[in-house]
Amino acid sequence: MAVTTPPYASDALAEGTVDAVVIGGGAAGLNGALILARSRRSVVVIDSGSPRNAPAEAVHGLIALDGTPPSEILRRGREQVRQYGGRVVFGEAVSAESAAPSADGDLRFTVTLADGRRITARRILVATGLTDVLPQVPGLAEHWGHSVVHCPYCHGWEVRDEPIGIPATGAASIGHALLFRQLTEDLTYFTHGTDLDEDSRARFAARGIRVIDTPVTEVVNDEDGALAGVRLADGQVVARRVVAVAAPMQARTQGLEGLGLPVRDLPTGRGFASGTAGTTEVPGVWVAGNATDLVAQVGASAAAGALAGADINRMLAIADTDAALQGIAGGSPQGATG
């Protein structure tokens, strides 16, 4: 499942202290950086080059860009951030932590990359995205993003009218099945060791959803390598062309432990806790996109990045004004007047 974006030229890491470091080069991170760069803030995006949607052929449900490959959206995003003076650095952040404040008391953070390079920033936007935790079913991961899908809004139209199978991962799979039933009349629900109450079974029967309680043991391919079905524990193969999985989602938190960001458990997985415009309990640190909103599509993630970027700029403007007042007071024996 580890898929990376095509290689691209990396900017040099900025020297000195920058206004903001954005950790994550996806839709949320790039749009946050765009807002900051257009506000004449010095901003550096640290991009590991492994976006969640890299296996997908196209982004869907995004007005004006529906059907655009994810890599193309990111390429345009990097270009636009650079157009306003922002930098995009290809690298992996392995640590991020608070540093000693500036002489005027403003916040400082240090971000260290895997190759040992470091950068100091006044504020941080975390936009690391998430990881989908797929069931341990042999053959499932190799079709991820193509014949194995998770989102009816991202991929549903493309798999309409196909024979779809849903191996349950928990209670969330019940609602998942009802959404995919809107897209096909040939839907099979595999309980796969999870509980399915009688009311849900009745509702499935009313919608013509077949239920199989025998566990799934592997995904079966045809002679061309395409997904052809799933094999059950009793040896039976149930023909399917598409598998839809409500996979638990986990925010990418590696390397960010030093920030002390709180996390929260959600029905769909685990992500960073955040407030309005991506604020966190840690002063000077914001989060945006799938790292905090696990079900956000590309458009929602980009919008969240924009809100966070604007809020970071607002707080920096306040800090700049506070520093200017201190400078006036410090330079006048009578202190600041007026």
Side-chain angles (χ1 to χ4, degrees), residues 35-108:
I35 293 294
L36 286 161
R38 282 178 51 83
S39 299
R40 307 189 75 175
R41 296 294 180 184
S42 54
V43 58
V44 175
V45 178
I46 307 299
D47 177 23
S48 66
S50 55
R52 176 194 185 196
N53 62 1
E57 296 178 356
V59 168
H60 292 290
L62 181 58
I63 191 71
L65 292 175
D66 186 90
T68 306
S71 59
E72 174 62 14
I73 291 177
L74 298 182
R75 184 193 67 78
R76 295 180 195 175
R78 291 191 293 267
E79 284 186 355
Q80 290 170 354
V81 169
R82 287 166 168 159
Q83 176 183 343
Y84 297 102
R87 300 191 186 201
V88 183
V89 176
F90 190 85
E92 181 182 359
V94 295
S95 74
E97 54 193 0
S98 297
S102 64
D104 58 20
D106 191 28
L107 299 169
R108 291 292 184 271

Side-chain angles (χ1 to χ4, degrees), residues 14 18-19 31 36 45 63 70 113 127 139 151 166 201 203 215 232 250 253 256 258 261 263-265 273 277 282:
V18 298
D19 288 321
N31 217 34
L36 286 161
V45 178
I63 191 71
L113 305 189
C151 174
I166 295 185
R201 289 177 184 269
R203 294 171 69 82
L232 306 181
Q250 301 289 333
T253 62
L256 303 176
L261 292 172
V263 295
R264 59 186 173 186
D265 290 314
V282 181

Side-chain angles (χ1 to χ4, degrees), residues 80-301:
Q80 290 170 354
V81 169
R82 287 166 168 159
Q83 176 183 343
Y84 297 102
R87 300 191 186 201
V88 183
V89 176
F90 190 85
E92 181 182 359
V94 295
S95 74
E97 54 193 0
S98 297
S102 64
D104 58 20
D106 191 28
L107 299 169
R108 291 292 184 271
F109 298 90
T110 300
V111 177
T112 304
L113 305 189
D115 59 11
R117 291 179 295 169
R118 292 186 175 185
I119 185 169
T120 301
R122 300 172 64 190
R123 305 293 184 269
I124 288 181
L125 172 57
V126 172
T128 48
L130 60 79
T131 299
D132 297 279
V133 184
L134 294 181
Q136 295 300 305
V137 176
L140 194 69
E142 68 184 76
H143 295 288
W144 181 243
H146 300 283
S147 298
V148 176
V149 300
H150 73 292
C151 174
Y153 306 108
C154 305
H155 311 287
W157 176 264
E158 285 63 42
V159 301
R160 68 194 185 281
D161 297 327
E162 294 283 3
I164 299 176
I166 295 185
T169 59
S173 294
I174 297 173
H176 206 57
L178 297 177
L179 294 177
F180 274 94
R181 174 60 182 83
Q182 171 66 19
L183 300 163
T184 183
E185 295 184 358
D186 188 353
L187 184 66
T188 300
Y189 186 91
F190 303 92
T191 57
H192 198 53
T194 65
D195 293 328
L196 186 64
D197 61 84
E198 291 305 316
D199 178 66
S200 295
R201 289 177 184 269
R203 294 171 69 82
F204 280 5
R207 293 304 311 275
I209 300 173
R210 179 187 180 192
V211 176
I212 294 179
D213 292 308
T214 308
V216 174
T217 59
E218 67 173 331
V219 169
V220 178
N221 297 339
D222 63 20
E223 58 185 13
D224 297 321
L227 194 153
V230 298
R231 190 184 308 279
L232 306 181
D234 61 7
Q236 176 189 1
V237 174
V238 180
R240 299 288 89 183
R241 299 300 296 179
V242 174
V243 172
V245 184
M249 297 172 279
Q250 301 289 333
R252 294 176 177 175
T253 62
Q254 299 88 340
L256 303 176
E257 295 82 359
L259 294 175
L261 292 172
V263 295
R264 59 186 173 186
D265 290 314
L266 301 166
T268 52
R270 188 172 176 82
F272 288 117
S274 65
T276 304
T279 54
T280 72
E281 293 181 5
V282 181
V285 181
W286 284 252
V287 294
N290 285 147
T292 182
D293 184 354
L294 303 180
V295 299
Q297 292 180 263
V298 173
S301 291

